[in-house]
Amino acid sequence: MAWSATKTKNTRKDVVDTESKQVAAEAPYIPVIPGEQPYVHFWGTRGSIPVSGPRFVRHGGNTSCVAIGVGDECFVIDAGSGIRDLGLRLLSRGPCRIHLFITHTHWDHIQGFPFFAPLFIPGYEVVIYGGPGFGKDLKSIFRGQLDRDYFPVQFEDMCANIDFQILEGESLTLDNFKIEWESTHHPAATLGFKTTWKGRTVGYVSDNEFLPGFQGAPHALNENSEIVAAHSKLIGFLKDVDLLIHEAQYTNEEYVTKIGWGHSSLTNACLLAKLTRAKRWIIPHHDPLHDDIALASKLNLTREILRSLDYPIEVSHAFDELIAYF
Ligand SMILES: [Zn+2]
Ligand SMILES: [Zn+2]
């Protein structure tokens, strides 16, 4: 019958409704990072001196500062200019205790300290940890930055409770994070840090000249090679980390004239990554001469070198505001 024929024929609207009901019946697939995941938040990834301008927008120009944590629980390594933005972020959480570890006291690792906002607010506590062996004591170095000749605000004007501690022994524990340290090869007493959270590890070595003076091809070298053996302590310290954060500041061409300046050539850094057997590598502490284009090209070369070393792990460049889970 005409009536029933009309009744049973689906219109386009009916079909669309049916389709959308079928889709709605299944929960949408929305992947999320599972549970608690420890992270490294890079706030400053430039070495030596901050840079700015259109040639540096992709990687950013702030000097060394990272926060390592999980959820709201975190600690900080280095107080380069990147710590200024971190400080503004921490203000939104209200007064808390901040643990700040310093690899060494070269400018690019402390110059953001006078601009770290929590220092000026009552209720915040800031504990600053540094290794033994600095020329002056840690407090004098930080206080010196606030000398009236350099800065308008004085250390005494900082209202936070500030405490300085020398890192003695080999490790300490903060909440669920174990933090260990080891000396690196760099002018001035310099530390690298390793953090373990529930079995996951990240090594942070911002400044390290691996194999000083070595300009040859790294392929024939191994842990038993005489020049490598001198670095066995640091290699052992970083062995098998889930995430290695280690500089590779100079191209091999640049390294020829910068031997002894405390930073690794690209190929020497690649060899170190291989010898540590790190699972993943993020490179920080970019040279101020290296703009975004230069860094993109350098990263491609890094991947080629790792392939030629038969160690093609995932490698990337740190940039300001990168959050890397490990
Ligand atoms: Zn540095
Ligand atoms: Zn340095």
Side-chain angles (χ1 to χ4, degrees):
M1 294 189 313
W3 180 83
S4 61
T6 308
K7 182 74 180 168
T8 54
K9 185 183 173 192
N10 285 333
T11 63
R12 179 63 200 148
K13 181 177 180 305
D14 292 335
V15 173
V16 171
D17 282 351
T18 309
E19 282 172 355
S20 59
K21 275 177 195 149
Q22 280 170 353
V23 171
E26 286 179 35
Y29 175 60
I30 302 174
V32 293
I33 290 167
E36 289 183 306
Q37 286 261 18
Y39 63 82
V40 182
H41 192 149
F42 292 84
W43 291 91
T45 56
R46 193 62 56 170
S48 309
I49 192 166
V51 292
S52 69
R55 293 188 298 119
F56 301 96
V57 289
R58 184 166 176 199
H59 294 83
N62 276 320
T63 50
S64 299
C65 176
V66 297
I68 298 178
V70 62
D72 275 348
E73 195 187 295
C74 77
F75 63 91
V76 184
I77 304 179
D78 281 335
S81 65
I83 203 170
R84 180 180 164 276
D85 279 341
L86 168 62
L88 297 174
R89 175 74 61 88
L90 288 172
L91 289 189
S92 64
R93 294 189 196 168
C96 60
R97 187 169 220 219
I98 298 164
H99 300 272
L100 169 59
F101 294 80
I102 302 294
T103 56
H104 64 309
T105 53
H106 284 165
W107 278 120
D108 51 328
H109 298 259
I110 64 167
Q111 64 197 167
F113 180 77
F115 300 90
F116 188 46
L119 293 166
F120 296 92
I121 299 178
Y124 280 89
E125 276 184 76
V126 182
V127 187
I128 301 164
Y129 304 84
F134 295 123
K136 298 179 192 140
D137 74 275
L138 197 57
K139 186 172 181 179
S140 306
I141 292 169
F142 279 87
R143 205 186 178 97
Q145 283 195 99
L146 299 156
D147 186 288
R148 217 172 274 284
D149 287 332
Y150 304 128
F151 201 70
V153 183
Q154 307 305 289
F155 191 82
E156 289 67 28
D157 298 324
M158 291 180 158
C159 305
N161 193 346
I162 305 169
D163 187 25
F164 291 87
Q165 292 197 13
I166 296 299
L167 291 168
E168 281 162 332
E170 294 178 341
S171 70
L172 60 80
T173 301
L174 293 175
D175 298 316
N176 288 311
F177 288 95
K178 180 182 180 190
I179 300 160
E180 299 165 85
W181 48 88
E182 182 56 66
S183 295
T184 76
H185 196 282
H186 190 67
T190 304
L191 296 176
F193 291 97
K194 181 169 70 178
T195 300
T196 306
W197 183 87
K198 297 186 181 177
R200 298 184 212 182
T201 49
V202 57
Y204 176 84
V205 179
S206 59
D207 297 56
N208 181 41
E209 185 171 358
F210 182 57
L211 308 183
F214 180 72
Q215 299 177 67
H219 303 81
L221 296 176
N222 59 46
E223 278 192 66
N224 299 320
S225 309
E226 200 178 324
I227 54 168
V228 175
H231 301 261
S232 59
K233 232 176 156 188
L234 188 65
I235 294 169
F237 178 72
L238 297 169
K239 205 77 170 178
D240 296 318
V241 287
D242 293 299
L243 172 59
L244 173 66
I245 299 167
H246 188 286
E247 63 132 309
Q249 186 163 337
Y250 299 137
T251 64
N252 285 34
E253 294 92 321
E254 290 166 335
Y255 186 62
V256 174
T257 56
K258 293 179 175 176
I259 292 169
W261 289 27
H263 300 292
S264 296
S265 75
L266 182 53
T267 52
N268 289 351
C270 286
L271 177 66
L272 177 66
K274 175 180 177 172
L275 295 176
T276 64
R277 311 304 302 178
K279 298 183 183 75
R280 192 158 59 104
W281 181 20
I282 294 180
I283 302 175
H285 208 276
H286 307 306
D287 194 274
L289 287 172
H290 295 172
D291 62 15
D292 292 331
I293 291 174
L295 286 173
S297 157
K298 183 164 167 265
L299 182 58
N300 282 327
L301 181 58
T302 307
R303 291 180 175 137
E304 282 299 328
I305 296 164
L306 287 172
R307 271 194 285 273
S308 78
L309 285 167
D310 208 17
Y311 197 63
I313 48 165
E314 182 186 329
V315 58
S316 54
H317 277 165
F319 55 85
D320 294 4
E321 290 284 5
L322 167 66
I323 299 175
Y325 291 93
F326 63 95

PDB file of all heavy atoms in Angstrom, residues 46-48 64 104 106 108-109 186 206-207 249 263 285, ligand 1:
ATOM      1  N   ARG A  46      69.167  27.589  26.697  1.00  0.00           N
ATOM      2  CA  ARG A  46      70.268  28.245  25.992  1.00  0.00           C
ATOM      3  C   ARG A  46      71.501  28.225  26.889  1.00  0.00           C
ATOM      4  O   ARG A  46      71.375  28.346  28.112  1.00  0.00           O
ATOM      5  CB  ARG A  46      69.845  29.684  25.689  1.00  0.00           C
ATOM      6  CG  ARG A  46      70.700  30.441  24.715  1.00  0.00           C
ATOM      7  CD  ARG A  46      70.774  29.874  23.324  1.00  0.00           C
ATOM      8  NE  ARG A  46      69.502  29.701  22.650  1.00  0.00           N
ATOM      9  CZ  ARG A  46      69.397  29.389  21.349  1.00  0.00           C
ATOM     10  NH1 ARG A  46      70.479  29.230  20.601  1.00  0.00           N
ATOM     11  NH2 ARG A  46      68.216  29.202  20.809  1.00  0.00           N
ATOM     12  N   GLY A  47      72.658  28.054  26.293  1.00  0.00           N
ATOM     13  CA  GLY A  47      73.891  28.118  27.070  1.00  0.00           C
ATOM     14  C   GLY A  47      74.508  29.494  26.982  1.00  0.00           C
ATOM     15  O   GLY A  47      74.195  30.273  26.081  1.00  0.00           O
ATOM     16  N   SER A  48      75.354  29.792  27.923  1.00  0.00           N
ATOM     17  CA  SER A  48      76.232  30.974  27.915  1.00  0.00           C
ATOM     18  C   SER A  48      75.530  32.308  28.150  1.00  0.00           C
ATOM     19  O   SER A  48      75.855  33.023  29.078  1.00  0.00           O
ATOM     20  CB  SER A  48      77.054  31.055  26.622  1.00  0.00           C
ATOM     21  OG  SER A  48      77.702  29.818  26.397  1.00  0.00           O
ATOM     22  N   SER A  64      69.784  28.258  31.239  1.00  0.00           N
ATOM     23  CA  SER A  64      69.457  26.984  31.897  1.00  0.00           C
ATOM     24  C   SER A  64      68.532  27.042  33.113  1.00  0.00           C
ATOM     25  O   SER A  64      68.822  27.711  34.115  1.00  0.00           O
ATOM     26  CB  SER A  64      70.760  26.318  32.343  1.00  0.00           C
ATOM     27  OG  SER A  64      71.565  26.067  31.220  1.00  0.00           O
ATOM     28  N   HIS A 104      76.392  24.541  38.708  1.00  0.00           N
ATOM     29  CA  HIS A 104      77.593  25.337  38.958  1.00  0.00           C
ATOM     30  C   HIS A 104      77.184  26.806  38.857  1.00  0.00           C
ATOM     31  O   HIS A 104      76.044  27.114  38.503  1.00  0.00           O
ATOM     32  CB  HIS A 104      78.724  24.988  38.001  1.00  0.00           C
ATOM     33  CG  HIS A 104      78.452  25.274  36.553  1.00  0.00           C
ATOM     34  ND1 HIS A 104      77.325  24.845  35.905  1.00  0.00           N
ATOM     35  CD2 HIS A 104      79.173  25.953  35.623  1.00  0.00           C
ATOM     36  CE1 HIS A 104      77.365  25.231  34.636  1.00  0.00           C
ATOM     37  NE2 HIS A 104      78.467  25.919  34.450  1.00  0.00           N
ATOM     38  N   HIS A 106      78.375  29.430  37.021  1.00  0.00           N
ATOM     39  CA  HIS A 106      78.577  30.311  35.863  1.00  0.00           C
ATOM     40  C   HIS A 106      77.305  31.115  35.627  1.00  0.00           C
ATOM     41  O   HIS A 106      76.200  30.683  35.966  1.00  0.00           O
ATOM     42  CB  HIS A 106      78.943  29.478  34.623  1.00  0.00           C
ATOM     43  CG  HIS A 106      80.365  28.998  34.640  1.00  0.00           C
ATOM     44  ND1 HIS A 106      80.841  28.007  33.819  1.00  0.00           N
ATOM     45  CD2 HIS A 106      81.422  29.389  35.412  1.00  0.00           C
ATOM     46  CE1 HIS A 106      82.131  27.806  34.046  1.00  0.00           C
ATOM     47  NE2 HIS A 106      82.506  28.634  35.020  1.00  0.00           N
ATOM     48  N   ASP A 108      75.256  31.749  33.282  1.00  0.00           N
ATOM     49  CA  ASP A 108      74.051  31.229  32.623  1.00  0.00           C
ATOM     50  C   ASP A 108      73.271  30.241  33.496  1.00  0.00           C
ATOM     51  O   ASP A 108      72.210  29.784  33.095  1.00  0.00           O
ATOM     52  CB  ASP A 108      74.399  30.592  31.260  1.00  0.00           C
ATOM     53  CG  ASP A 108      75.528  29.587  31.334  1.00  0.00           C
ATOM     54  OD1 ASP A 108      76.427  29.758  32.171  1.00  0.00           O
ATOM     55  OD2 ASP A 108      75.508  28.619  30.543  1.00  0.00           O
ATOM     56  N   HIS A 109      73.785  29.961  34.699  1.00  0.00           N
ATOM     57  CA  HIS A 109      73.069  29.043  35.591  1.00  0.00           C
ATOM     58  C   HIS A 109      72.574  29.730  36.858  1.00  0.00           C
ATOM     59  O   HIS A 109      71.924  29.103  37.691  1.00  0.00           O
ATOM     60  CB  HIS A 109      73.968  27.838  35.917  1.00  0.00           C
ATOM     61  CG  HIS A 109      74.312  27.071  34.683  1.00  0.00           C
ATOM     62  ND1 HIS A 109      73.687  25.889  34.332  1.00  0.00           N
ATOM     63  CD2 HIS A 109      75.163  27.354  33.663  1.00  0.00           C
ATOM     64  CE1 HIS A 109      74.159  25.470  33.162  1.00  0.00           C
ATOM     65  NE2 HIS A 109      75.059  26.347  32.739  1.00  0.00           N
ATOM     66  N   HIS A 186      84.280  20.392  33.435  1.00  0.00           N
ATOM     67  CA  HIS A 186      83.893  21.753  33.062  1.00  0.00           C
ATOM     68  C   HIS A 186      84.702  22.711  33.935  1.00  0.00           C
ATOM     69  O   HIS A 186      84.963  22.391  35.096  1.00  0.00           O
ATOM     70  CB  HIS A 186      82.387  21.917  33.323  1.00  0.00           C
ATOM     71  CG  HIS A 186      81.797  23.175  32.771  1.00  0.00           C
ATOM     72  ND1 HIS A 186      81.699  23.411  31.420  1.00  0.00           N
ATOM     73  CD2 HIS A 186      81.253  24.261  33.382  1.00  0.00           C
ATOM     74  CE1 HIS A 186      81.133  24.591  31.227  1.00  0.00           C
ATOM     75  NE2 HIS A 186      80.852  25.129  32.405  1.00  0.00           N
ATOM     76  N   SER A 206      74.258  19.516  32.047  1.00  0.00           N
ATOM     77  CA  SER A 206      74.118  20.680  31.158  1.00  0.00           C
ATOM     78  C   SER A 206      75.449  21.104  30.568  1.00  0.00           C
ATOM     79  O   SER A 206      75.513  21.580  29.439  1.00  0.00           O
ATOM     80  CB  SER A 206      73.511  21.850  31.928  1.00  0.00           C
ATOM     81  OG  SER A 206      74.344  22.180  33.030  1.00  0.00           O
ATOM     82  N   ASP A 207      76.531  20.940  31.338  1.00  0.00           N
ATOM     83  CA  ASP A 207      77.837  21.453  30.922  1.00  0.00           C
ATOM     84  C   ASP A 207      78.884  20.365  31.154  1.00  0.00           C
ATOM     85  O   ASP A 207      79.217  20.061  32.302  1.00  0.00           O
ATOM     86  CB  ASP A 207      78.222  22.700  31.743  1.00  0.00           C
ATOM     87  CG  ASP A 207      77.261  23.864  31.544  1.00  0.00           C
ATOM     88  OD1 ASP A 207      76.048  23.675  31.765  1.00  0.00           O
ATOM     89  OD2 ASP A 207      77.731  24.964  31.192  1.00  0.00           O
ATOM     90  N   GLN A 249      77.261  21.163  22.673  1.00  0.00           N
ATOM     91  CA  GLN A 249      77.149  22.582  22.295  1.00  0.00           C
ATOM     92  C   GLN A 249      77.831  22.952  20.984  1.00  0.00           C
ATOM     93  O   GLN A 249      77.311  23.760  20.224  1.00  0.00           O
ATOM     94  CB  GLN A 249      77.665  23.479  23.437  1.00  0.00           C
ATOM     95  CG  GLN A 249      77.421  24.961  23.150  1.00  0.00           C
ATOM     96  CD  GLN A 249      77.528  25.840  24.378  1.00  0.00           C
ATOM     97  OE1 GLN A 249      77.375  25.377  25.499  1.00  0.00           O
ATOM     98  NE2 GLN A 249      77.787  27.120  24.182  1.00  0.00           N
ATOM     99  N   HIS A 263      82.774  22.443  26.959  1.00  0.00           N
ATOM    100  CA  HIS A 263      81.598  21.873  26.282  1.00  0.00           C
ATOM    101  C   HIS A 263      82.023  20.840  25.247  1.00  0.00           C
ATOM    102  O   HIS A 263      83.123  20.916  24.685  1.00  0.00           O
ATOM    103  CB  HIS A 263      80.777  22.981  25.623  1.00  0.00           C
ATOM    104  CG  HIS A 263      80.289  23.986  26.617  1.00  0.00           C
ATOM    105  ND1 HIS A 263      79.341  23.681  27.571  1.00  0.00           N
ATOM    106  CD2 HIS A 263      80.663  25.262  26.849  1.00  0.00           C
ATOM    107  CE1 HIS A 263      79.141  24.745  28.343  1.00  0.00           C
ATOM    108  NE2 HIS A 263      79.934  25.721  27.930  1.00  0.00           N
ATOM    109  N   HIS A 285      71.161  23.384  26.316  1.00  0.00           N
ATOM    110  CA  HIS A 285      72.336  24.262  26.393  1.00  0.00           C
ATOM    111  C   HIS A 285      72.857  24.610  25.002  1.00  0.00           C
ATOM    112  O   HIS A 285      74.038  24.428  24.678  1.00  0.00           O
ATOM    113  CB  HIS A 285      73.426  23.570  27.244  1.00  0.00           C
ATOM    114  CG  HIS A 285      74.353  24.527  27.956  1.00  0.00           C
ATOM    115  ND1 HIS A 285      75.444  25.083  27.336  1.00  0.00           N
ATOM    116  CD2 HIS A 285      74.358  25.019  29.220  1.00  0.00           C
ATOM    117  CE1 HIS A 285      76.071  25.869  28.200  1.00  0.00           C
ATOM    118  NE2 HIS A 285      75.431  25.856  29.344  1.00  0.00           N
TER     119      HIS A 285
HETATM  120 ZN    ZN B   1      76.310  26.633  31.037  1.00  0.00          ZN
END
